[in-house]
Amino acid sequence: MEWNSNNTFKTYKADMEPKAMMDMALIPNIDPVDIGLGSSEKGSVVPTSKPRKKTMTSVYLKYFETAPDGKTRRCKFCGQSYSIATATGNLGRHLSNRHPGYDKTGDVVTTSSVPQPTTPVIKKSQPQGRAAQVDYDHLNWLLIKWLILASLPPSTLEEKWLANSFKFLNPSIQLWPGEKYKAVFREVFRSMREDVRVSLEQVSSKVSVTLDFWTSYEQIFYMSVTCQWIDENWSFQKVLLDICQVPYPCTGSEIYNTLFKVLKMYNIENKVLSCTHDNSQNAIHACHTLKEDLDGQKVGPFCYIPCAARTLSLIIDDALRTTKPVIAKVREFVQELNASLDISEDFIQLTTAYQEGSWQFPLDASARWSGNYQMLDLVHKQAGKSMDAVVRKNEEILGSRILLNVAEKNVANIVHNYLEPFYKVINEICVNNPPTIGMVIVYMDHISDTIATRQTPDWLKSAAEDMAKKLRSYNNQVCNIFIYMTAILDPRIKCELIPEGLNSENYLEEARAHFMRNYYTSHFSSMTSGYSAQDIEDGGSVSFAEEIARKKRRASMSNVADELTQYLSESPAPTKTDVLEWWKVNSTRYPRLSAMARDFLAVQATSVKPEELFCSKGDEIDKQRFCMPHDSTQAILCIKSWTQGGLKLKYKSSEIDYERLMELAAAAAADNISAGFDKKQK
């Protein structure tokens, strides 16, 4: 549904008669007064009630009826509206193009013959008015969609030559002023945020949040807050809550205050089970303050977790430290391959001749993990033959400086082999999105063993020590009862695959106590019949019937505890098992334990999607965030995330149905093409 499709342009090209104007309630009228703006558009000026100096008379007028407000005329055949000031020649062309033979239908045309749209573009009908403005609203709404998907600020539309391009298509086209676009974005943001807030009120389970931070070109520090949970159908749900400016000096205190305002605004501060942060000290301080606050209110357990993906990224940076010069040379070579068709064809022919693998262009040349490993992989697989031959053949362009010597190739091969386990782990957590924290803990334990047991050359030992230090810091932060409970509720792990540092008999007993304390009471509150748990256990003057009831309750409590025992006694599920699907199928066997699993399996191991951190996709996201001006960052980035998540773009109470809008545009374009062909035939 891109605004710059051919059909869309054609809609606004022929005689300004797009079919999408058949019903002025198809899109919401944006009233400059309603959003607190003036307007310099000719098409948006409301005609005054001053009498006209000249009365229009024409044979065409009998086929049009005047609206009660006296501002528009509507075709009696199709219902298309025109301004009262539209020349009669244009009305005649409309009749000739759209209704050939109209003059042979008789003088009487009733309004009941006007077709009505079956699928409105908005969910709530809008009052009709200001037809001249509606001439351009379809285009403006399509441009809004483009700005959102491309993460571009409204100021983009103020570029002179973009406006000239529209004028080339149709000199009458008028775009909204930049301030009007901004006002519309702000209103869309408010409307959609309210929908998000209402949807979160329906969530019955605990939720987890993740934090991400960045600084824009204006040196403004931002924080994004994202919420995750598992719904009643065992589907993972995720929604961006807000993108906030963190006020100066951007310390843990400011982050905490900003975060708590967001949680309070959505009324989920009592539902939050965990927060996964970006490993920065300020974020850790903010999460610690939030934990103290929630613990003081006794709203339930809360834990904050470091981002495993960022820890891995820092560890890999240590490993790549000694190979940066080699990678820089190979990257320069790859960039030339991607830029030149002739050089890339030479490379493909040589790698085929030398049997050095097949390569698909463009090659990943990003400075992230995916690009760096691609550089090492290139050296490792082709052993220098193809690369050397291409460089020598194109030495005038490439120069001999990027040729690798034997020592450099040897270093690249050693580091490539050393990082192979990292490559497998990163692939796993990127493919299994989102990865459960239990499985990520298993992967990180495997990385620890790899670093500790692998033989490393002297020049790599210093990097290996730094890598091990970062891993120990991560493991210390995740070695707690909260992570233990989250891990054992992954049916692929249970107690068998728990890393040694996390596996404790005390943790198991604490997990059992937490299960009884928090998931027995909530699911058996009706069984107590007005008696508290203490009343049931303590003595007192009770009837014989009540003694029988107590025994039944104790038996039920034992069965509840046995859910956890039975679950852990069974063998773990295969590692390829879909965790949420497993719990969906087995929730009837473990009705109370499954409620606990719904809460804890929503806890996130990473603060961002792993592929956004390790792959070139993250470069585009960083660029969009860095370049976005402050007056557009929150609205556009939130709206984009919400629409990608399935929410309809909404202006006040009106949902904008872009699929229907494009259908109308395509139909109008087809009509215009047909009308043009008929004219040529004549």
Side-chain angles (χ1 to χ4, degrees):
M1 299 187 295
E2 296 297 327
W3 69 273
N4 54 352
S5 64
N6 292 333
N7 287 341
T8 305
F9 281 138
K10 292 174 183 176
T11 303
Y12 297 94
K13 192 172 181 180
D15 297 327
M16 288 306 297
E17 296 175 2
K19 189 173 182 179
M21 290 166 54
M22 286 176 59
D23 190 328
M24 293 170 58
L26 292 177
I27 57 176
N29 290 325
I30 309 299
D31 192 340
V33 176
D34 183 39
I35 57 178
L37 295 172
S39 176
S40 59
E41 298 172 279
K42 294 179 181 179
S44 62
V45 176
V46 181
T48 64
S49 59
K50 184 177 179 179
R52 299 181 181 277
K53 295 180 180 180
K54 184 177 179 180
T55 304
M56 194 181 294
T57 57
S58 170
V59 295
Y60 304 126
L61 292 182
K62 62 183 178 181
Y63 300 105
F64 291 81
E65 61 179 359
T66 303
D69 60 6
K71 299 174 184 177
T72 60
R73 286 192 176 89
R74 193 165 74 166
C75 176
K76 294 181 180 179
F77 291 104
C78 66
Q80 181 161 321
S81 296
Y82 288 89
S83 167
I84 198 73
T86 301
T88 55
N90 289 338
L91 301 181
R93 281 193 290 274
H94 168 84
L95 293 171
S96 299
N97 293 338
R98 297 293 179 87
H99 313 292
Y102 67 92
D103 52 340
K104 298 180 177 59
T105 59
D107 291 342
V108 179
V109 180
T110 63
T111 57
S112 62
S113 65
V114 177
Q116 299 298 319
T118 57
T119 306
V121 174
I122 61 172
K123 303 301 181 184
K124 180 179 177 181
S125 62
Q126 300 289 319
Q128 297 189 11
R130 293 199 305 281
Q133 184 184 12
V134 178
D135 290 351
Y136 312 110
D137 272 355
H138 286 179
L139 175 59
N140 283 299
W141 279 104
L142 290 171
L143 288 175
I144 281 177
K145 183 73 170 181
W146 171 61
L147 292 174
I148 292 168
L149 293 177
S151 298
L152 294 172
S155 58
T156 305
L157 299 176
E158 297 175 3
E159 208 285 321
K160 176 182 177 182
W161 285 101
L162 181 63
N164 288 344
S165 300
F166 286 114
K167 293 295 183 183
F168 173 79
L169 294 171
N170 191 312
S172 301
I173 286 177
Q174 295 181 12
L175 303 182
W176 291 337
E179 288 302 316
K180 191 168 183 179
Y181 278 110
K182 292 177 184 177
V184 170
F185 274 120
R186 286 193 294 269
E187 182 56 45
V188 170
F189 169 74
R190 285 191 290 265
S191 300
M192 297 184 72
R193 182 172 63 182
E194 179 60 20
D195 285 350
V196 173
R197 190 191 65 79
V198 171
S199 69
L200 285 172
E201 288 181 350
Q202 311 305 315
V203 176
S204 58
S205 63
K206 292 283 188 177
V207 301
S208 295
V209 297
T210 55
L211 308 180
D212 193 20
F213 302 90
W214 69 92
T215 302
S216 73
Y217 75 97
E218 297 172 303
Q219 294 302 298
I220 296 176
F221 188 60
Y222 289 101
M223 175 179 68
S224 69
V225 185
T226 306
C227 178
Q228 298 88 8
W229 71 96
I230 298 170
D231 66 18
E232 290 85 352
N233 294 319
W234 288 94
S235 295
F236 179 77
Q237 302 294 337
K238 174 181 178 180
V239 65
L240 176 65
L241 298 181
D242 209 347
I243 290 176
C244 323
Q245 177 185 354
V246 179
Y248 183 82
C250 311
T251 65
S253 178
E254 286 76 33
I255 292 174
Y256 162 74
N257 290 329
T258 305
L259 172 59
F260 194 78
K261 286 179 182 177
V262 174
L263 301 179
K264 192 77 173 175
M265 177 177 61
Y266 285 98
N267 196 29
I268 60 171
E269 69 273 18
N270 293 334
K271 290 183 178 180
V272 177
L273 183 65
S274 72
C275 179
T276 307
H277 54 78
D278 72 337
N279 304 3
S280 66
Q281 287 301 313
N282 285 334
I284 292 173
H285 178 267
C287 291
H288 181 73
T289 305
L290 179 61
K291 177 174 173 57
E292 289 181 337
D293 191 10
L294 296 178
D295 287 349
Q297 298 178 34
K298 297 182 179 180
V299 297
F302 174 81
C303 183
Y304 51 95
I305 303 162
C307 176
R310 293 191 184 278
T311 301
L312 271 176
S313 182
L314 292 173
I315 291 171
I316 290 169
D317 286 345
D318 287 336
L320 294 174
R321 218 161 45 201
T322 56
T323 57
K324 283 185 178 180
V326 178
I327 290 175
K329 285 186 177 183
V330 181
R331 178 172 285 112
E332 186 175 347
F333 173 72
V334 168
Q335 289 168 341
E336 291 292 345
L337 285 181
N338 290 338
S340 172
L341 181 61
D342 292 337
I343 296 177
S344 62
E345 286 180 350
D346 288 343
F347 180 77
I348 292 172
Q349 291 174 3
L350 287 165
T351 52
T352 302
Y354 290 135
Q355 296 182 346
E356 293 176 346
S358 59
W359 305 86
Q360 291 187 345
F361 288 86
L363 298 176
D364 187 350
S366 72
R368 295 176 183 269
W369 159 255
S370 60
N372 288 330
Y373 197 76
Q374 175 93 85
M375 303 303 104
L376 296 175
D377 207 37
L378 193 68
V379 177
H380 178 73
K381 285 186 177 179
Q382 53 96 5
K385 291 182 181 179
S386 299
M387 181 176 172
D388 289 351
V390 170
V391 171
R392 289 193 172 94
K393 181 179 179 181
N394 300 275
E395 190 169 349
E396 291 185 3
I397 300 174
L398 301 177
S400 60
R401 67 189 181 282
I402 60 176
L403 285 171
L404 300 182
N405 58 42
V406 175
E408 288 174 327
K409 292 176 183 178
N410 186 45
V411 167
N413 283 320
I414 291 173
V415 174
H416 180 278
N417 291 331
Y418 189 80
L419 290 177
E420 190 172 0
F422 292 81
Y423 174 78
K424 294 178 180 178
V425 166
I426 290 172
N427 274 359
E428 284 294 320
I429 66 174
C430 286
V431 170
N432 299 315
N433 194 19
T436 66
I437 196 165
M439 192 56 74
V440 168
I441 294 297
V442 172
Y443 291 146
M444 297 295 273
D445 186 58
H446 172 66
I447 293 294
S448 295
D449 290 342
T450 299
I451 295 174
T453 58
R454 279 211 169 187
Q455 294 293 325
T456 57
D458 291 339
W459 53 267
L460 195 54
K461 284 183 178 179
S462 175
E465 290 173 1
D466 291 339
M467 295 165 71
K469 182 178 179 180
K470 289 181 174 64
L471 266 172
R472 283 194 298 271
S473 174
Y474 174 83
N475 289 333
N476 289 337
Q477 293 180 68
V478 298
C479 188
N480 55 61
I481 176 58
F482 189 96
I483 300 299
Y484 177 85
M485 290 190 292
T486 306
I488 65 173
L489 290 170
D490 185 330
R492 302 168 300 175
I493 298 174
K494 299 188 177 179
C495 292
E496 279 79 353
L497 295 183
I498 293 287
E500 184 178 349
L502 189 61
N503 203 353
S504 165
E505 189 68 28
N506 291 336
Y507 280 166
L508 179 58
E509 292 307 313
E510 288 184 48
R512 194 183 306 277
H514 177 84
F515 172 54
M516 290 294 298
R517 184 170 58 251
N518 293 279
Y519 295 90
Y520 170 80
T521 305
S522 60
H523 290 272
F524 278 83
S525 58
S526 61
M527 291 180 58
T528 59
S529 303
Y531 291 89
S532 67
Q534 190 65 35
D535 291 335
I536 294 175
E537 294 300 326
D538 293 343
S541 178
V542 294
S543 65
F544 177 68
E546 179 57 28
E547 290 180 3
I548 297 176
R550 286 181 184 179
K551 292 180 180 179
K552 292 288 186 181
R553 293 188 188 104
R554 291 192 187 100
S556 297
M557 290 178 68
S558 177
N559 291 336
V560 172
D562 285 343
E563 278 192 24
L564 180 59
T565 302
Q566 181 181 345
Y567 165 78
L568 293 176
S569 67
E570 296 175 356
S571 299
T575 55
K576 294 295 184 182
T577 300
D578 184 318
V579 174
L580 298 187
E581 184 63 27
W582 189 94
W583 274 107
K584 183 178 181 179
V585 171
N586 289 275
S587 59
T588 53
R589 295 177 60 205
Y590 309 111
R592 298 145 192 101
L593 191 62
S594 64
M596 182 175 173
R598 264 185 69 198
D599 289 345
F600 279 80
L601 290 176
V603 175
Q604 296 299 292
T606 63
S607 61
V608 294
K609 289 182 178 179
E611 63 268 26
E612 293 178 4
L613 190 64
F614 293 115
C615 304
S616 57
K617 178 182 178 182
D619 292 333
E620 184 63 27
I621 294 173
D622 285 352
K623 182 177 70 174
Q624 291 172 351
R625 288 174 167 182
F626 180 80
C627 297
M628 186 70 69
H630 178 60
D631 59 4
S632 303
T633 296
Q634 182 188 46
I636 289 185
L637 296 184
C638 284
I639 294 169
K640 179 179 181 179
S641 177
W642 293 335
T643 54
Q644 289 177 337
L647 288 178
K648 290 285 188 180
L649 193 142
K650 195 170 184 179
Y651 179 81
K652 296 185 177 178
S653 58
S654 303
E655 290 182 4
I656 312 301
D657 190 338
Y658 278 97
E659 292 183 7
R660 177 62 175 156
L661 183 59
M662 291 305 298
E663 287 174 4
L664 294 173
D671 286 350
N672 290 336
I673 293 172
S674 176
F677 179 77
D678 291 342
K679 287 181 180 179
K680 290 181 180 179
Q681 291 291 92
K682 293 180 180 179

